[in-house]
Amino acid sequence: MTKQFKLGLIINPVAGLGGSVGLKGSDNVTEEALALGAEPKSHKRTQAALEVLLPYKEQIQIFTPSGKMGQTLAEEMGFATQVVLTVGENTSPADTELTVKTLIEQGVDLILFAGGDGTARNVCSAVSDNTTVLGIPAGCKIHSGVYAITPKAAGRVVEMLINGELVTLSDADVMDIDESAFREGVVKAKRYGEMQVPSELRYVQAVKSGGKETDELVLADLSAYVVSEMEDDEYYVMGSGSTVAAIMDEMGLENTLLGVDVVLDQDVIAADCTAQQLIDLTKGKPTKIVITLIGGQGHIFGRGNQQLSPELIRQVGKENIIVVATKRKLQALNGRPLICDTGDSVLDDELSGFIKVVTGYNDHVMYAVGLEEEK
């Protein structure tokens, strides 16, 4: 059975209330807007996004707050729904922020939220660096780059993820304006941060030669990025394969092509390590595992890197696994998911879902992980 897509859903039920009644926003004017006859729109706009996903209902589980923040609509539309937070009738920004933190704890693959720039600010204040989000435009103010162009467009992006298509991850700005000043005719825009969002991959190569991607240059591009992101006093377990070897070469370090090395402060502190050596060396220390695809079937664990044992992987944590590969290498899989064959079926299941893959300099895609079995 195909691994279910874990979709976090947050609906701001008062988003957009002020627009239709001329209040130029909805922040702090909910009661006034309702008194003027405003009708909530976020429910319908979220429904438009989710309608795109109806053919995939069996492949999706929605994690959401109670009532009108998501549960009611998800259940009405027939999605498998798990309530992660009980909220009151009068919802607040604090409910959104707490939901985001809860969804992250649940390990959802994507947080889909409906609202405007105020909602985006609430999500941004609670989100983690490794969390991928996408906004359904439902507010009066949509200045932030974290929103799809339409509700249906948001559904299409999620559809691409479910179908295993390559979807680029981008950092998008969260913007908002001062509504009080705006009501006085003054526009004061401010940047409040950025969030990681999926965007449709355009297949425009950053490095070209005769119109085609040059693997050697792309690897250099990718390697330079990984090295630039390395932290001091952090251990890096460098897996097998030529892509990882290119990263080692970028640091000017000797590499065990068919083995596993450990790097600290851009220096090899242990070469060609055994599974037990890796466990002993990194236990209790901040550690990341750098791996690529091994073998022709898309294995990231269990082919050529058995030194990366289940105990080590659990010790390091899924959030500290860095997968690197060129887009050409991923496209060669023809949509097949990456495979974990650690020898521990429970761990393999825990590692399945969607993972960020580094494909170039500050260039990433979301890609499915997990063995797709016949039903």
Side-chain angles (χ1 to χ4, degrees), residues 28-265:
N28 306 313
V29 295
T30 299
E31 292 183 6
E32 182 181 357
L34 291 172
L36 290 170
E39 293 183 1
K41 294 183 176 181
S42 54
H43 182 99
K44 288 185 178 179
R45 294 182 75 79
T46 305
Q47 183 177 358
L50 294 181
E51 281 175 348
V52 177
L53 305 177
L54 286 175
Y56 308 94
K57 278 197 299 186
E58 300 302 315
Q59 299 168 242
I60 301 171
Q61 184 173 16
I62 291 181
F63 295 75
T64 189
S66 63
K68 54 191 177 183
M69 281 193 74
Q71 176 193 11
T72 301
L73 178 61
E75 290 183 347
E76 282 177 354
M77 297 185 72
F79 289 95
T81 306
Q82 181 172 325
V83 175
V84 298
L85 181 70
T86 301
V87 297
E89 183 66 17
N90 296 319
T91 61
S92 69
D95 292 326
T96 296
E97 294 172 14
L98 184 55
T99 299
V100 170
K101 294 175 182 177
T102 305
L103 292 174
I104 292 172
E105 292 173 356
Q106 292 287 336
V108 298
D109 297 309
L110 174 75
I111 296 178
L112 186 67
F113 66 95
D117 288 332
T119 310
R121 284 174 57 184
N122 300 146
V123 173
C124 186
S125 68
V127 82
S128 65
D129 291 341
N130 293 323
T131 304
T132 306
V133 306
L134 180 64
I136 301 170
C140 304
K141 301 174 280 103
I142 306 291
H143 296 88
S144 298
V146 298
Y147 285 97
I149 56 173
T150 66
K152 285 187 176 180
R156 293 298 179 198
V157 174
V158 180
E159 180 184 37
M160 291 175 69
L161 291 171
I162 293 169
N163 285 329
E165 298 180 47
L166 295 187
V167 178
T168 297
L169 297 179
S170 305
D171 289 329
D173 288 338
V174 176
M175 305 291 292
D176 202 0
I177 61 174
D178 183 331
E179 288 189 4
S180 298
F182 188 46
R183 293 182 184 113
E184 299 300 321
V186 179
V187 178
K188 291 183 178 179
K190 182 179 178 181
R191 180 182 181 276
Y192 286 88
E194 62 183 22
M195 293 193 288
Q196 181 175 274
V197 299
S199 57
E200 185 175 344
L201 184 62
R202 294 173 174 80
Y203 295 103
V204 175
Q205 306 294 345
V207 182
K208 293 185 176 181
S209 176
K212 295 183 179 180
E213 183 179 30
T214 304
D215 285 341
E216 184 178 352
L217 295 179
V218 172
L219 279 176
D221 201 37
L222 182 160
S223 300
Y225 176 74
V226 173
V227 173
S228 73
E229 293 292 297
M230 284 184 164
E231 301 283 348
D232 293 336
D233 301 318
E234 190 157 28
Y235 289 69
Y236 289 85
V237 177
M238 308 299 292
S240 308
S242 58
T243 305
V244 177
I247 298 171
M248 294 288 280
D249 186 62
E250 176 70 19
M251 292 184 283
L253 302 178
E254 292 291 330
N255 171 69
T256 308
L257 183 62
L258 301 180
V260 177
D261 304 325
V262 178
V263 170
L264 176 65
D265 296 331

Side-chain angles (χ1 to χ4, degrees), residues 284-359:
K285 299 181 178 69
T287 304
K288 286 185 168 62
I289 297 174
V290 182
I291 54 173
T292 189
L293 286 59
I294 303 295
Q297 297 300 315
H299 290 80
I300 54 176
F301 289 113
R303 297 293 185 277
N305 58 12
Q306 286 86 349
Q307 303 94 321
L308 305 180
S309 64
E311 184 178 350
L312 176 72
I313 296 167
R314 284 199 171 93
Q315 180 174 293
V316 172
K318 180 180 179 179
E319 69 279 7
N320 291 314
I321 296 171
I322 301 172
V323 181
V324 295
T326 64
K327 290 173 186 172
R328 183 193 294 255
K329 199 170 185 179
L330 291 174
Q331 289 163 351
L333 295 175
N334 295 317
R336 297 191 305 274
L338 301 175
I339 298 172
C340 296
D341 186 19
T342 66
D344 184 327
S345 59
V346 174
L347 177 60
D348 292 345
D349 189 59
E350 291 171 353
L351 292 171
S352 62
F354 285 77
I355 197 166
K356 181 169 70 173
V357 181
V358 180
T359 53

